[in-house]
């Protein structure tokens, strides 16, 4: 004689919805963590790019007036004073405070007679990952570079 099969009871599924909700909450927290950290990294890189552009342009405005007035332009671009151009770029970076938002900022400015190149490298701290992994590096390396050159515009 076989026993009749019983219909599955509602009590057999008790707790499954709770586990599903708990899993979804964990997944949501992970997604928010990743989105916030990636956004922080994007904003740090964008700020670094803007600072490098501004510094290169500030340096490119250090025209060598003495050379310009004694030799004239001819068919050459505006001449720069390399030492003054480099100092102008560094002053710009100090004024905008780009080093305060990044760790271990390295600034490399190269000025020639006709152009200024700025390269910035720093560590961008990530809001969540930096707190969750204290033994890790504490951030991600970001870099930006920009070059501004003088030119002669015939008009």
């Amino acid at each position: 004689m076989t026993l009749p099969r019983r219909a599955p009871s509602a009590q057999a599924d008790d707790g499954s919805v709770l586990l599903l909700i708990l899993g979804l909450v964990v997944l949501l927290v992970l997604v928010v963590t990743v989105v916030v950290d990636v956004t922080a990294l994007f904003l740090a890189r964008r700020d670094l790019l803007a600072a490098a552009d501004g510094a290169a342009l500030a340096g490119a405005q250090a025209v060598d007036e003495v050379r310009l007035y004694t030799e004239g332009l001819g068919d050459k671009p505006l001449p720069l004073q390399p030492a003054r151009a480099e100092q102008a770029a560094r002053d710009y970076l100090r004024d905008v405070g780009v080093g305060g938002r990044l760790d271990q900022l390295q600034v490399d400015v190269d000025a020639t007679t006709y152009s200024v190149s700025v390269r910035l490298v720093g560590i961008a701290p990530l809001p969540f990952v930096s707190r969750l992994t204290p033994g890790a590096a504490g951030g991600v390396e970001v870099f930006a570079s920009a070059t501004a050159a003088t030119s002669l515009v015939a008009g």
Side-chain angles (χ1 to χ4, degrees):
M1 171 175 186
T2 59
L3 295 173
R5 289 188 166 187
R6 287 197 261 167
S9 69
Q11 292 178 349
D13 290 335
D14 283 354
S16 6
V17 173
L18 179 64
L19 287 176
L20 180 63
I21 290 174
L22 185 60
L24 289 175
V25 167
V26 169
L27 182 65
L28 181 64
V29 167
L30 288 174
V31 168
V32 167
T33 301
V34 169
V35 167
V36 168
D37 282 347
V38 168
T39 301
L41 187 61
F42 170 77
L43 293 174
R45 175 131 162 74
R46 188 188 66 177
D47 289 347
L48 207 60
L49 281 169
D53 282 343
L57 288 173
Q61 294 175 7
V63 176
D64 187 353
E65 291 104 1
V66 173
R67 185 172 166 201
L68 177 65
Y69 290 124
T70 57
E71 297 176 13
L73 270 179
D75 59 348
K76 298 178 189 173
L78 288 172
L80 298 176
Q81 284 183 343
R84 219 173 91 205
E86 182 177 337
Q87 188 59 47
R90 290 183 185 279
D91 289 345
Y92 176 86
L93 291 171
R94 186 193 66 239
D95 291 344
V96 298
V98 70
R101 295 184 295 270
L102 298 172
D103 298 332
Q104 304 171 12
L105 180 67
Q106 299 171 2
V107 177
D108 182 31
V109 180
D110 181 36
T112 65
T113 309
Y114 299 109
S115 68
V116 179
S117 295
V118 177
R119 179 171 165 78
L120 304 174
V121 180
I123 304 293
L126 302 176
F128 287 115
V129 173
S130 296
R131 288 191 181 104
L132 295 175
T133 57
V140 175
E141 183 176 89
V142 291
F143 67 92
S145 63
T147 301
T150 61
S151 62
L152 179 63
V153 178

